[in-house]
Amino acid sequence: MLFPRFTLNTQQRCSFRKAAKETKTKKGVIEETGPSHTEPSEGLIHKRGASPPVHPSVAYTHPRSFGRLVKPLVFTIGFTACSFGTAAIWQYESLKSRVQSYFDEVRADWLEKLRPQKQGDLRKWINQWWNGLSEGQPPPPIFHYPLISHLSFILSFSTPLLSLSGIIAANAVVFCCWRVPSLQRSMIKYFTSNPASKTLCFPMLLSTFSHYSFFHMAANMYVLWSFSSSIVSMLGREQFMAVYVSAGVISTMFSYVCKTASGRLGPSLGASGAIMTVLAAVCTKMPEAKLAIIFLPMYAFSAGNALKAIVAMDTAGLVLGWRYFDHAAHLGGALFGIWYIMYGHELIWKNREPLVKVWHDLRTKGPGGGGNGGSGPL
């Protein structure tokens, strides 16, 4: 079950100018008695659980101008391109390192067999010491084979866990930063995405790792963990990370456009836009897979039907103006996930070879390179 990206929406006040008064806070409502044309006054906070405070020093602008979205659009395109380019180079370096390690081990074993044994050889001494142990004498813990086998078993599943643990750790650090009073202004400015804010680009990425409510973060991370093994198996660690961070920026851009068009300006935060891309990608790739809601495991349904229901709900929320969740970010993330599985993988990832070849040539011709510059990528 996906717990969506929350949105903190503003309500329009009357247009009369009044002197600014002190903010009065009620349970679930942040009320401005004196509206301003440079700061949005917060109405009912459409969010489950605790909500970020409104900092009066954070600047906002109200004009609904699509011209302000040109810079975020350029940032979205550039960031996505850099993400996939970095992932392609990362994969090349990982494969190169593994191949190099394999040949180093083969070469070491081959030299070990050719090298004549000496009486004082350390390996031979260890073998003699091992064979000399009495039957009841236990070996040191480092030689416990069950431990070595257990470590090998863990490492065989380390790729999805390492990718997911980095994302969860980043979300946890940002969640802790929300609890520091002195950081509130910076958190609202950079870790909430709002088309009315003067800071538009960096929050598109940073808000993807931002949660003010612990329940919000825990629910999103649980959904991500549930689909992490499938998506990493489908795409690989490097491609998954590129898709995930790009999805966060793309879903926020879609939210910017919809909020600007409708005039419902307000800050949003959460990883649900990126998680919707992961969910949509898995459901598109495996539409017949069976899913169930965590609290209702007796009701199972196909992944394809679940995706259709989620897209329909977010589309209805966007059209009807539901303001509890950022339905535009959810819908943008889902559409990106569907598009990437159907077309994006072929258009982007399978055409990475020219970039990898350029990187390979730079690596082999640079300091410490192998000198076989034109051999092509691994």
Side-chain angles (χ1 to χ4, degrees), residues 232-252:
V232 173
S233 299
M234 286 166 45
L235 304 179
R237 177 180 59 178
E238 299 83 5
Q239 187 181 184
F240 160 69
M241 290 301 297
V243 169
Y244 185 83
V245 295
S246 299
V249 175
I250 291 172
S251 62
T252 304

Side-chain angles (χ1 to χ4, degrees), residues 88-89 92 352-365 373-378:
I89 294 173
Y92 165 84
R352 70 190 186 279
E353 184 177 350
L355 173 64
V356 176
K357 187 177 186 306
V358 170
W359 178 257
H360 172 78
D361 293 340
L362 292 174
R363 291 278 278 110
T364 53
K365 293 178 181 178
S375 57
L378 290 175

Side-chain angles (χ1 to χ4, degrees), residues 45-366:
I45 297 196
H46 302 268
K47 187 180 191 303
R48 190 186 306 243
S51 57
V54 178
H55 202 286
S57 62
V58 179
Y60 296 92
T61 58
H62 278 297
R64 291 168 51 187
S65 172
F66 284 97
R68 299 187 70 246
L69 301 183
V70 173
K71 189 175 180 180
L73 177 61
V74 174
F75 176 81
T76 300
I77 297 173
F79 180 83
T80 302
C82 291
S83 297
F84 282 95
T86 302
I89 294 173
W90 179 15
Q91 186 188 63
Y92 165 84
E93 292 294 337
S94 298
L95 292 175
K96 186 174 185 296
S97 176
R98 292 175 187 175
V99 171
Q100 187 65 44
S101 299
Y102 171 77
F103 281 111
D104 287 344
E105 292 177 3
V106 171
R107 181 173 178 271
D109 292 341
W110 182 69
L111 291 176
E112 182 67 22
K113 292 179 180 179
L114 292 180
R115 187 162 60 96
Q117 294 292 329
K118 298 180 181 179
Q119 186 66 27
D121 187 85
L122 177 61
R123 185 172 180 177
K124 185 176 181 180
W125 179 84
I126 292 176
N127 289 332
Q128 291 176 349
W129 169 79
W130 178 269
N131 295 328
L133 290 174
S134 61
E135 185 175 350
Q137 183 179 358
I142 193 173
F143 292 102
H144 283 177
Y145 287 104
L147 175 62
I148 297 176
S149 300
H150 183 61
L151 290 175
S152 301
F153 175 79
I154 294 177
L155 290 175
S156 64
F157 293 95
S158 62
T159 296
L161 292 177
L162 288 175
S163 303
L164 184 61
S165 61
I167 295 175
I168 294 178
N171 281 271
V173 169
V174 175
F175 172 77
C176 293
C177 290
W178 274 110
R179 319 259 81 77
V180 181
S182 61
L183 297 178
Q184 293 299 300
R185 182 179 183 276
S186 297
M187 297 301 294
I188 295 172
K189 182 177 181 181
Y190 294 106
F191 287 86
T192 61
S193 59
N194 186 356
S197 174
K198 290 185 177 179
T199 307
L200 293 174
C201 294
F202 288 118
M204 299 176 73
L205 173 65
L206 298 179
S207 64
T208 304
F209 299 89
S210 179
H211 300 83
Y212 188 81
S213 165
F214 177 79
F215 176 78
H216 184 197
M217 181 184 70
N220 275 341
M221 295 301 101
Y222 173 79
V223 175
L224 179 61
W225 173 78
S226 300
F227 288 89
S228 62
S229 297
S230 299
I231 192 68
V232 173
S233 299
M234 286 166 45
L235 304 179
R237 177 180 59 178
E238 299 83 5
Q239 187 181 184
F240 160 69
M241 290 301 297
V243 169
Y244 185 83
V245 295
S246 299
V249 175
I250 291 172
S251 62
T252 304
M253 183 66 212
F254 194 84
S255 176
Y256 277 1
V257 172
C258 293
K259 286 181 178 179
T260 303
S262 64
R264 303 188 188 103
L265 306 178
S268 300
L269 75 169
S272 299
I275 294 174
M276 277 297 300
T277 296
V278 173
L279 186 149
V282 174
C283 292
T284 302
K285 189 71 174 180
M286 300 180 292
E288 301 302 323
K290 294 299 181 181
L291 303 178
I293 301 175
I294 180 176
F295 300 113
L296 300 171
M298 68 289 298
Y299 298 106
F301 41 85
S302 67
N305 290 334
L307 179 59
K308 293 175 184 177
I310 292 173
V311 170
M313 183 186 68
D314 285 320
T315 302
L318 181 61
V319 173
L320 299 177
W322 299 346
R323 301 176 67 177
Y324 191 77
F325 299 133
D326 191 346
H327 294 282
H330 295 176
L331 188 59
L335 293 178
F336 175 64
I338 296 171
W339 175 85
Y340 189 81
I341 292 300
M342 296 181 66
Y343 308 106
H345 180 75
E346 295 285 338
L347 294 175
I348 299 176
W349 193 250
K350 289 195 174 181
N351 290 320
R352 70 190 186 279
E353 184 177 350
L355 173 64
V356 176
K357 187 177 186 306
V358 170
W359 178 257
H360 172 78
D361 293 340
L362 292 174
R363 291 278 278 110
T364 53
K365 293 178 181 178

